[in-house]
Amino acid sequence: MHGVVLFKIGIKAVRSVNRCHCRNSCRRLVSLNTSANNQETNTMISRATTAGQPFVAPRMPVTRSRSLLVRQRKCVSHRVMGCPKTVCTAQPAPQEGQGVGSKLKQLVTPFSNPEANKKMLALATAQMLCSVATLIHDTYLPVYMSDVLQMSNSKIGNLQAIAQFLSKASGSVSGIFADILSPARMVIFGTLLTTINKPMFAASGIVYSTFGAIACLYWITFGKIFDRMSKGIREAPSKALIGDLATQSGESAAAAFSLRQSMATFGALFGAAVAAAAYKVSGQNYVVTFAMAGVPALVALTLVVYAFGTGGTKDGSAPAASAASPSGEGEDEQVQLTFLQKAKALLGAFQPAYWQALIIVSILYFARFDASFVTLRAKTVMDKASLPVLTSIIMLTQAVLATPMGLKAKESVASRNMVIVAGIAVLIGANASFAFIPSFTGMALGAFCIGVHMAMTHGVTIGMLSSYIPQKTIPGLGKITGTAWSFTDMVLGVILAYSNSLAGFLADKTAQQGLGNIGCFFGGATACALSICAMIIFSSFGSLGRDDLINQTKKAA
């Protein structure tokens, strides 16, 4: 009987110790409590023996431990031994199944704010669907224009140049309208135009059979320009909207831009595959293949209308005219500025960190010349039939790695700068592979490095610029987020144009010297080195190394 009593008391002591997080202090208290219990039990036994009655052990409360399943459960000894509540807590149980599932969930969670994350996923998915739609008709559109409409390569190239220029121009205008109407409304409007545009390519068959090849040529030309302009109308407002969502969540936008980049790349790959399958199944029918592009575009429109068409201000993209000042009295609406004052206020709204980031990205974009220079180099050292393999390597690598790199860059400013510098260094390796390894292995290695570079830098550099673009209302100007993106895209677009001209000039120079068309890669490596130097200087002595300059709001506790 004594053994049973002591055994129960011992069990109680062991449970109390195991449930307490601060073991050293609690063990001493349990020992004292156990001694007191033993003395009380011996007294009860002696009294029962003296009275000639059998001893009945008192029933002791047994508290079933659930501390391994519930976080922050109180220690049992809180009530008995006075263990401090703030210190004595149960150890959280290790959760099972946090491997692949938890990592996959993290990849699609750029923001911790559920509402902002939901809207970001809707925006990225719509972008992916638009990429699917575009690649469905763009995969075979050059072939259609060449074989059916008898357009020369120079005419096709000129059409592409005009379309790209108008895409940038429309993006500049749409950013300004995004500040007036709201980024969300402009995204919806741009997606609507994209949805209207896609059936135009399928209608080319009817135009050709009814009005002839010349009319169809003009129809396709207008359709292609319309397609790029609708994309430009979506671009700047989309970036402004992501910046608003990042500010709403109080986090860096790097992961969000990388997620959008990754999903858009996956969409391009899937769209090209759908186009190839439709072309084959339809018996090489261009019209049927082009008609497939309307389906994902319509789904994208439905998605953005559902996510952003509520007209509310939860998405952080309320029209500038209705945006109140921090005091809630709208004093900024009363400020009247002249044109020169507005220009000065606009330039003054950008902090030095923005200009430093723009300088770094601008230098880098001199190394971002068109992929056609890679193709021209590759066709001299490998089979032409294998050229599409290089594009697949670039896109697959970029699609797989972009989101993880964005999440890494999101951790801190130091992590972001490290990812950008490492990504630029990888592009130097790509240029070296194309220039000094004239074989399929060298071309494939260079393509892989380009994919890694784009994954590490494209979305992250856009996120870096977004971090320093003003998100608040500027007195006398209102919101300027969309306008800032229009200006940024215009600058980078001009630099890309000059980079291609410079790349062509350098490639011709080395070709004339009998070295092959590798001069563009020397120029690209030089631009990369200068960009890395600028990043090191601005992060060490400038503003790009400071965490306090990021556009973030304080998270709710």
Side-chain angles (χ1 to χ4, degrees):
M1 189 65 69
H2 287 72
V4 173
V5 173
L6 294 177
F7 176 77
K8 289 185 177 181
I9 294 173
I11 289 296
K12 180 179 179 181
V14 170
R15 284 179 174 169
S16 297
V17 171
N18 287 337
R19 294 183 62 147
C20 185
H21 192 60
C22 47
R23 294 175 178 269
N24 293 333
S25 61
C26 288
R27 278 174 178 162
R28 182 173 56 84
L29 294 174
V30 170
S31 177
L32 293 175
N33 193 47
T34 303
S35 299
N37 287 340
N38 288 340
Q39 185 176 1
E40 182 182 353
T41 303
N42 291 333
T43 303
M44 294 172 64
I45 292 174
S46 63
R47 288 177 181 175
T49 305
T50 304
Q53 298 176 355
F55 170 70
V56 179
R59 185 184 180 115
M60 293 190 175
V62 178
T63 305
R64 298 188 179 275
S65 175
R66 298 179 61 189
S67 60
L68 295 180
L69 300 177
V70 183
R71 300 182 67 180
Q72 302 293 325
R73 181 62 60 91
K74 294 180 181 179
C75 178
V76 173
S77 56
H78 285 162
R79 301 183 301 272
V80 180
M81 294 175 286
C83 186
K85 180 178 179 180
T86 57
V87 178
C88 200
T89 55
Q91 188 75 6
Q95 298 180 5
E96 298 181 0
Q98 283 190 345
V100 178
S102 129
K103 291 181 180 179
L104 289 177
K105 183 179 179 181
Q106 186 182 16
L107 290 177
V108 294
T109 312
F111 300 132
S112 58
N113 184 300
E115 187 67 21
N117 194 68
K118 183 169 120 180
K119 291 181 181 296
M120 178 61 221
L121 287 177
L123 184 63
T125 304
Q127 175 69 43
M128 179 186 70
L129 291 170
C130 289
S131 296
V132 172
T134 299
L135 264 294
I136 287 177
H137 63 69
D138 264 11
T139 299
Y140 288 101
L141 188 61
V143 181
Y144 178 77
M145 291 188 292
S146 176
D147 294 349
V148 178
L149 303 181
Q150 301 298 314
M151 289 181 66
S152 64
N153 291 332
S154 60
K155 289 182 179 180
I156 295 175
N158 291 334
L159 174 59
Q160 295 283 4
I162 294 173
Q164 291 295 337
F165 171 77
L166 291 177
S167 174
K168 294 295 183 183
S170 62
S172 300
V173 175
S174 68
I176 298 174
F177 276 98
D179 289 333
I180 300 173
L181 301 175
S182 84
R185 291 176 181 174
M186 290 304 298
V187 169
I188 294 174
F189 178 65
T191 309
L192 173 63
L193 294 181
T194 298
T195 306
I196 295 173
N197 166 256
K198 298 309 178 186
M200 291 185 63
F201 299 100
S204 61
I206 299 176
V207 175
Y208 182 82
S209 59
T210 306
F211 302 102
I214 299 298
C216 186
L217 175 61
Y218 284 110
W219 179 265
I220 287 293
T221 300
F222 176 73
K224 182 63 180 176
I225 293 175
F226 187 11
D227 174 60
R228 293 298 87 192
M229 288 183 66
S230 66
K231 180 182 183 298
I233 290 173
R234 296 193 320 264
E235 190 64 17
S238 295
K239 293 176 180 177
L241 185 54
I242 293 175
D244 288 342
L245 294 174
T247 303
Q248 175 186 335
S249 183
E251 296 170 279
S252 169
F257 280 109
S258 295
L259 175 63
R260 188 186 77 142
Q261 174 193 358
S262 180
M263 293 182 68
T265 307
F266 272 121
L269 286 169
F270 183 72
V274 170
Y279 186 72
K280 183 177 181 180
V281 171
S282 64
Q284 300 184 354
N285 190 311
Y286 294 106
V287 173
V288 173
T289 303
F290 296 159
M292 298 290 294
V295 178
L298 183 60
V299 177
L301 177 62
T302 304
L303 188 59
V304 294
V305 169
Y306 175 78
F308 302 103
T310 58
T313 58
K314 285 185 179 181
D315 59 354
S317 58
S322 62
S325 64
S327 61
E329 299 177 1
E331 294 89 343
D332 58 298
E333 298 179 6
Q334 306 299 325
V335 178
Q336 298 294 331
L337 301 177
T338 64
F339 177 78
L340 292 178
Q341 289 175 332
K342 287 183 178 180
K344 184 178 179 180
L346 180 62
L347 293 176
F350 293 99
Q351 53 182 312
Y354 166 79
W355 299 109
Q356 295 171 13
L358 184 60
I359 290 173
I360 291 172
V361 178
S362 297
I363 297 174
L364 174 61
Y365 269 42
F366 276 102
R368 291 268 192 91
F369 43 80
D370 194 76
S372 59
F373 291 98
V374 174
T375 302
L376 293 174
R377 169 59 174 166
K379 77 174 186 177
T380 62
V381 298
M382 59 182 286
D383 184 18
K384 293 181 180 180
S386 302
L387 291 176
V389 175
L390 301 181
T391 303
S392 299
I393 292 174
I394 294 173
M395 297 183 74
L396 280 173
T397 306
Q398 181 179 348
V400 171
L401 295 180
T403 302
M405 291 297 102
L407 290 173
K408 177 64 179 176
K410 173 186 171 182
E411 294 177 358
S412 65
V413 168
S415 296
R416 180 200 69 190
N417 295 344
M418 180 191 69
V419 170
I420 292 175
V421 169
I424 298 175
V426 171
L427 185 56
I428 296 178
N431 286 305
S433 297
F434 290 130
F436 300 118
I437 311 179
S439 64
F440 174 79
T441 301
M443 300 303 104
L445 177 60
F448 174 75
C449 289
I450 287 181
V452 174
H453 161 77
M454 293 298 293
M456 297 182 73
T457 61
H458 187 64
V460 177
T461 51
I462 295 176
M464 177 175 66
L465 289 168
S466 175
S467 299
Y468 304 117
I469 286 180
Q471 303 291 334
K472 297 181 180 180
T473 302
I474 306 301
L477 298 176
K479 283 205 70 173
I480 64 169
T481 308
T483 304
W485 275 117
S486 295
F487 170 75
T488 303
D489 288 343
M490 181 186 68
V491 171
L492 297 180
V494 171
I495 290 175
L496 277 177
Y498 277 106
S499 72
N500 282 287
S501 299
L502 181 59
F505 173 78
L506 294 174
D508 288 340
K509 282 294 183 181
T510 54
Q512 292 171 2
Q513 296 174 3
L515 301 175
N517 52 351
I518 61 175
C520 54
F521 305 115
F522 294 150
T526 302
C528 289
L530 293 175
S531 184
I532 291 177
C533 291
M535 171 62 83
I536 294 174
I537 291 173
F538 288 138
S539 59
S540 300
F541 306 103
S543 303
L544 295 187
R546 295 174 54 183
D547 289 272
D548 59 309
L549 298 179
I550 301 295
N551 286 327
Q552 294 181 5
T553 57
K554 293 182 179 180
K555 298 181 183 180

